[in-house]
Amino acid sequence: MQHLSIRLQTGERGLRGIFVGGPWADLIEMIGLAGADFVVLDGEHGSVWTELPHLLRAARSVALPALVRVLPRRPDMIGQVLDFGAEGVLVPGIRTVEEAENALASSRYAPDGVRGLAFSARSAGYGYRGGPDYLNTANRNVTVLLQVETREAVKSLPDILRLTGLNGIFVGPTDLSLSYGEQSRQTAKVLNIIEQIRQAAEMAGIPWGLFTGTPDNHREWYDRGSWYCATGVPNLLRPALTAWLERGHTR
Ligand code: 3PY
Ligand code: MG
């Protein structure tokens, strides 16, 4: 399985991800077999926690890189999900450079960070793949995407983009719109802010991407050079359910 961090380092763009909010191992396998580039197991707004280790196994079985979205301002959760075998983390709700630094440091072992080490963890093959080889590659292979979805993060963006170890930023248009007093992620104001974020990331040479609700929306950002976009299972299912329920059922 090629690590997401390596694909991004080589400058690959247009990666496609799916957020999965429930404990559905079969669905994760389907998403991998369908050819998605990564999956985000949503521990912020979803109910994945009880099954997380099994969901990560399902992703691994179809060579699908899995990021876990942890809770905001809970850097202690980061090492835990990485120990379970997550490929990386998506960190929501970042507001300040310090919060961004904490998230990055929690994702990497010393000397790059402060992640706690246990070779007995699944990430180190329960000790079978531990030792220097593991330590030398773990920091490089992990993917840490920080969400830019608050007004404060937009203000701190130039400093956040300079942080060592940042694999990319991920815009959360929904929270961003709320943070700017808007009630839709499609307003001119919100789109303008996302465009400013895009330009700042491009100038800094940092991968950027965002949550896209519809295929058209996805295509638009893909054409603008997004490194990755992701949507959620409900966004995929709603139109399919409506179409199936309505087609051929006119009473
Ligand atoms: C948002 O739009 O706020 C998100 O976090 C999408 O993942
Ligand atoms: Mg959000």
Side-chain angles (χ1 to χ4, degrees):
M1 180 167 92
Q2 209 189 2
H3 293 291
L4 210 51
S5 59
I6 309 296
R7 291 181 75 178
L8 294 174
Q9 255 166 42
T10 58
E12 203 177 327
R13 296 193 186 223
L15 303 180
R16 301 143 310 156
I18 309 284
F19 279 80
V20 173
W24 308 310
D26 298 11
L27 180 59
I28 289 164
E29 289 175 335
M30 279 182 73
I31 290 169
L33 293 171
D37 297 297
F38 64 98
V39 69
V40 181
L41 306 178
D42 193 356
E44 185 194 16
H45 294 299
S47 55
V48 293
W49 287 113
T50 51
E51 296 296 317
L52 196 58
H54 302 307
L55 304 183
L56 292 167
R57 283 188 186 101
R60 182 57 62 98
S61 77
V62 288
L64 177 66
L67 307 181
V68 175
R69 176 154 71 175
V70 292
L71 291 170
R73 290 169 283 289
R74 287 294 306 270
D76 54 330
M77 286 179 157
I78 292 176
Q80 188 179 38
V81 302
L82 294 179
D83 278 5
F84 286 178
E87 164 103 7
V89 284
L90 178 64
V91 186
I94 295 286
R95 295 172 304 189
T96 63
V97 186
E98 291 71 33
E99 288 176 6
E101 278 171 335
N102 276 340
L104 294 171
S106 302
S107 314
R108 295 194 170 85
Y109 298 112
D112 302 333
V114 297
R115 179 178 169 191
L117 173 64
F119 287 132
S120 56
R122 180 164 178 264
S123 56
Y126 311 103
Y128 288 109
R129 292 197 298 270
D133 280 354
Y134 170 71
L135 275 176
N136 291 337
T137 51
N139 285 1
R140 193 171 62 236
N141 292 343
V142 72
T143 296
V144 189
L145 303 183
L146 302 183
Q147 284 205 245
V148 177
E149 55 179 359
T150 64
R151 191 188 268 264
E152 295 91 331
V154 174
K155 219 168 117 207
S156 308
L157 192 58
D159 293 326
I160 291 174
L161 289 170
R162 274 196 283 272
L163 293 176
T164 306
L166 175 63
N167 298 92
I169 57 164
F170 187 87
V171 178
T174 317
D175 278 310
L176 194 65
S177 61
L178 274 187
S179 186
Y180 279 87
E182 300 284 290
Q183 289 186 331
S184 156
R185 51 189 188 215
Q186 293 297 338
T187 65
K189 184 171 171 185
V190 175
L191 293 174
N192 184 34
I193 292 157
I194 298 176
E195 174 57 17
Q196 286 171 30
I197 297 169
R198 182 190 76 78
Q199 287 179 17
E202 284 292 347
M203 293 257 297
I206 296 293
W208 61 273
L210 70 163
F211 187 89
T212 48
T214 65
D216 286 345
N217 200 215
H218 186 113
R219 164 58 58 181
E220 189 190 322
W221 286 102
Y222 176 80
D223 289 345
R224 285 159 83 173
S226 62
W227 295 64
Y228 36 79
C229 281
T231 195
V233 168
N235 286 322
L236 303 174
L237 261 187
R238 277 195 312 268
L241 282 172
T242 304
W244 193 86
L245 292 170
E246 284 176 0
R247 194 170 304 150
H249 288 270
T250 35
R251 295 199 180 94

